[in-house]
Amino acid sequence: MEPGGLEWLLVPVQQLVSWGAAGAMVFGGVVPYIPQYRDIRRTQNAEGFSTYVCLVLLVANILRILFWFGRHFESPLLWQSIIMIITMLLMLKLCTEVRVSNELNVKRRSFAAGDSKDEEIKTPPKRSYLDFDLNYFWHWSKFTDYVQCVLTFTGVTGYITYLWLDSSLFVETLGFLAVFTEAMLGIPQLYRNYQNRSTEGMSIKMVLMWTSGDTFKTVYFIVNQAPFQFSICGLLQVFVDIAILLQVYLYSHYPQKPVSHTAHPASTKAL
């Protein structure tokens, strides 16, 4: 076969592989949350999933999108952030509805000004506008409060980014913060396992999905010459996944102590 014939065959194959990799990059990150969403919807129980996961991923992906305005990177990475933000908002909406429907305390907790319909408040609320009480932050009663918080964060960081967009130091730092925040997603789970000396309730299949997904993502960063922040933090994320995988092996084969609390099945990185 002539060289030209081989090129005619290889070019479409390479293009197909490239499209497949880009598609996996865009949608692969949300795949683990699909069974989680369906399970919460089916059982009407969201205790096994921490909404702080949504907070971390929302912050990380909003910062990544802002980073794109200062330094354009691969389009699939931009679309991945958009899809992830939509997914996390859907998770927040479901978890909030389920949690509120199961709560005995119906007192309104909000991000914005106190609710005048709150029957428990007879005097003007101490929190005049924002509720910065750490006991109730990101634990509000309506999905709209989370949307207000996300929009406020986006507006403030977007304005700051607009002012400093010409500073390469700011732009590079913004990119690092975006991917570093996401890379730290597994650290709380790692620390929780260490504290409990147990990984009871964790799925070994899910940990393997984390590791394989983060490995693919890191290789994609390196092959497509994404900004160096992506590659460095991707490698860090893989190391954290491997450490959790080692915990699963060690604590299952060499149990340290019985778990004193009720463990909930964990099918995602939890805070």
Side-chain angles (χ1 to χ4, degrees), residues 47-72:
E47 293 183 9
F49 177 80
S50 173
T51 55
Y52 284 103
V53 171
C54 301
L55 174 61
V56 171
L57 288 176
L58 284 169
V59 169
N61 285 282
I62 289 170
L63 293 180
R64 185 194 287 187
I65 291 174
L66 294 176
F67 176 52
W68 181 85
F69 286 99
R71 182 177 175 183
H72 292 341

Side-chain angles (χ1 to χ4, degrees), residues 60-82 171 174-175 178-179 220-221 224-230:
N61 285 282
I62 289 170
L63 293 180
R64 185 194 287 187
I65 291 174
L66 294 176
F67 176 52
W68 181 85
F69 286 99
R71 182 177 175 183
H72 292 341
F73 46 78
E74 285 282 314
S75 296
L77 301 181
L78 178 63
W79 281 106
Q80 180 197 41
S81 292
I82 296 173
V171 171
L174 182 66
V179 291
Y220 184 93
F221 292 157
N224 288 276
Q225 298 180 340
F228 73 96
Q229 297 99 326
F230 286 77

Side-chain angles (χ1 to χ4, degrees), residues 92-253:
L92 271 176
K93 186 175 187 299
L94 177 63
C95 290
T96 304
E97 292 173 351
V98 169
R99 175 171 49 79
V100 171
S101 67
N102 293 334
E103 276 184 348
L104 296 177
N105 180 14
V106 295
K107 182 175 181 179
R108 173 89 158 89
R109 299 295 181 186
S110 62
F111 169 75
D115 190 347
S116 60
K117 297 180 181 179
D118 192 336
E119 298 178 355
E120 294 186 29
I121 299 178
K122 303 301 182 182
T123 58
K126 295 180 180 179
R127 300 183 298 278
S128 59
Y129 180 62
L130 297 182
D131 184 357
F132 286 109
D133 188 340
L134 291 179
N135 293 324
Y136 301 112
F137 178 77
W138 208 251
H139 195 73
W140 301 308
S141 304
K142 289 186 178 179
F143 173 66
T144 52
D145 293 309
Y146 294 96
V147 174
Q148 290 175 15
C149 182
V150 170
L151 290 177
T152 300
F153 175 79
T154 304
V156 172
T157 53
Y159 180 68
I160 295 174
T161 302
Y162 174 76
L163 294 178
W164 291 86
L165 202 58
D166 293 332
S167 171
S168 59
L169 177 61
F170 174 83
V171 171
E172 296 300 328
T173 302
L174 182 66
F176 176 78
L177 288 176
V179 291
F180 183 75
T181 301
E182 184 177 354
M184 292 293 100
L185 191 61
I187 294 294
Q189 184 70 63
L190 186 72
Y191 181 66
R192 177 185 290 180
N193 295 343
Y194 173 76
Q195 276 188 319
N196 296 334
R197 299 292 194 276
S198 171
T199 55
E200 183 179 348
M202 287 193 66
S203 168
I204 185 66
K205 292 181 180 179
M206 184 54 60
V207 180
L208 289 172
M209 285 180 64
W210 297 344
T211 308
S212 58
D214 291 336
T215 301
F216 170 81
K217 183 169 61 178
T218 304
V219 171
Y220 184 93
F221 292 157
I222 296 173
V223 171
N224 288 276
Q225 298 180 340
F228 73 96
Q229 297 99 326
F230 286 77
S231 301
I232 293 174
C233 292
L235 288 171
L236 177 60
Q237 208 165 359
V238 172
F239 289 145
V240 172
D241 292 340
I242 293 174
I244 295 176
L245 202 59
L246 288 174
Q247 284 182 326
V248 173
Y249 173 79
L250 290 174
Y251 294 148
S252 61
H253 288 77

